[in-house]
């Protein structure tokens, strides 16, 4: 699997499954991808940007209003992306993307990109099965956004059911299918 010359924008939102995304960022980098990480404020409550900066050898993007030399950060990231993966994709972020709410760097980048978008939902099974979440996912899929997972199993909240984020290997495979890497 060769990701040389490909830019993966990795959007990380605030869910416990973020620990799996660290491994994914490392694997993407090992396979040659330029991994541009965007972390929401909530994601930073679970793990620090330093973790992803260390794994990707790049600065992590956290601030929508940071001064940029040439273009605003969300435009620059949106243009460079060969694919955007949002993992874990919380119910909150899924809803924001569905309704075009652009109140952080990740959601503004999603609105500005022409690249394929993949989301990996991760949340409590009741949240996932809620009518609003299911409707939002259906709307996004009808718009061409690719959904991977979630899986069934033990959830961090102690429940057993659907809501576990798909494993990093499955997400890596879907990225490669989407951008035709070998």
């Amino acid at each position: 699997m060769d990701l040389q010359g490909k830019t993966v924008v990795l959007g990380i939102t605030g869910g416990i499954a973020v620990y799996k995304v660290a491994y994914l960022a490392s694997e993407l980098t090992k396979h040659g991808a330029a991994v541009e990480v965007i972390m929401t404020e909530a994601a930073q409550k679970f793990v620090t940007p330093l973790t992803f900066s260390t794994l990707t050898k790049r600065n992590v993007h956290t601030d929508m209003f940071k001064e940029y030399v040439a273009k605003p950060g969300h435009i620059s990231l949106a243009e460079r992306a060969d694919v955007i993966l949002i993992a874990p994709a919380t119910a909150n972020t899924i809803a924001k993307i569905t309704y075009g709410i652009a109140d952080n760097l990740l959601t503004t980048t999603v609105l500005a990109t022409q690249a394929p978008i993949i989301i990996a939902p991760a949340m409590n099974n009741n949240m996932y099965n809620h009518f609003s979440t299911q409707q939002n996912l259906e709307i996004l899929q009808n718009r061409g956004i690719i959904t991977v997972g979630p899986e069934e199993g033990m959830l961090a909240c102690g429940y057993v059911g659907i809501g576990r984020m798909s494993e990093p290997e499955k997400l890596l495979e879907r990225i490669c299918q989407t951008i035709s890497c070998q």
Side-chain angles (χ1 to χ4, degrees), residues 80-148:
R80 286 186 304 201
D82 289 297
V83 63
I84 295 177
L85 169 65
I86 303 171
T90 60
N92 182 50
T93 297
I94 289 168
K96 286 180 180 185
I97 294 168
T98 301
Y99 293 99
I101 298 170
D103 65 350
N104 62 44
L105 183 57
L106 178 57
T107 55
T108 56
T109 302
V110 166
L111 282 180
T113 196
Q114 295 297 305
I117 300 167
I118 303 170
I119 60 172
M123 63 198 76
N124 166 272
N125 59 313
N126 292 331
M127 293 173 72
Y128 178 74
N129 287 318
H130 192 278
F131 174 79
S132 295
T133 304
Q134 289 302 303
Q135 186 176 45
N136 291 340
L137 288 167
E138 183 178 336
I139 289 168
L140 292 178
Q141 290 166 350
N142 288 337
R143 292 179 187 163
I145 291 180
I146 301 160
T147 303
V148 179

Side-chain angles (χ1 to χ4, degrees), residues 158-180:
Y159 289 30
V160 175
I162 192 161
R164 290 178 58 87
M165 189 180 85
S166 293
E167 294 302 319
E169 295 82 5
K170 189 171 184 177
L171 298 175
L172 183 59
E173 181 180 313
R174 190 60 175 121
I175 288 168
C176 280
Q177 290 170 350
T178 302
I179 59 176
S180 302

Side-chain angles (χ1 to χ4, degrees), residues 53-71:
S53 180
T54 302
L55 294 171
T56 64
K57 313 293 187 269
R58 295 177 170 276
N59 289 330
V60 173
H61 309 279
T62 59
D63 186 354
M64 185 164 67
F65 298 106
K66 181 179 177 185
E67 291 184 34
Y68 294 90
V69 176
K71 293 181 182 178

Side-chain angles (χ1 to χ4, degrees), residues 7-25:
T7 299
V8 177
V9 172
L10 184 55
I12 304 172
T13 69
I16 191 65
V18 73
Y19 77 93
K20 293 182 181 181
V21 182
Y23 175 75
L24 176 62

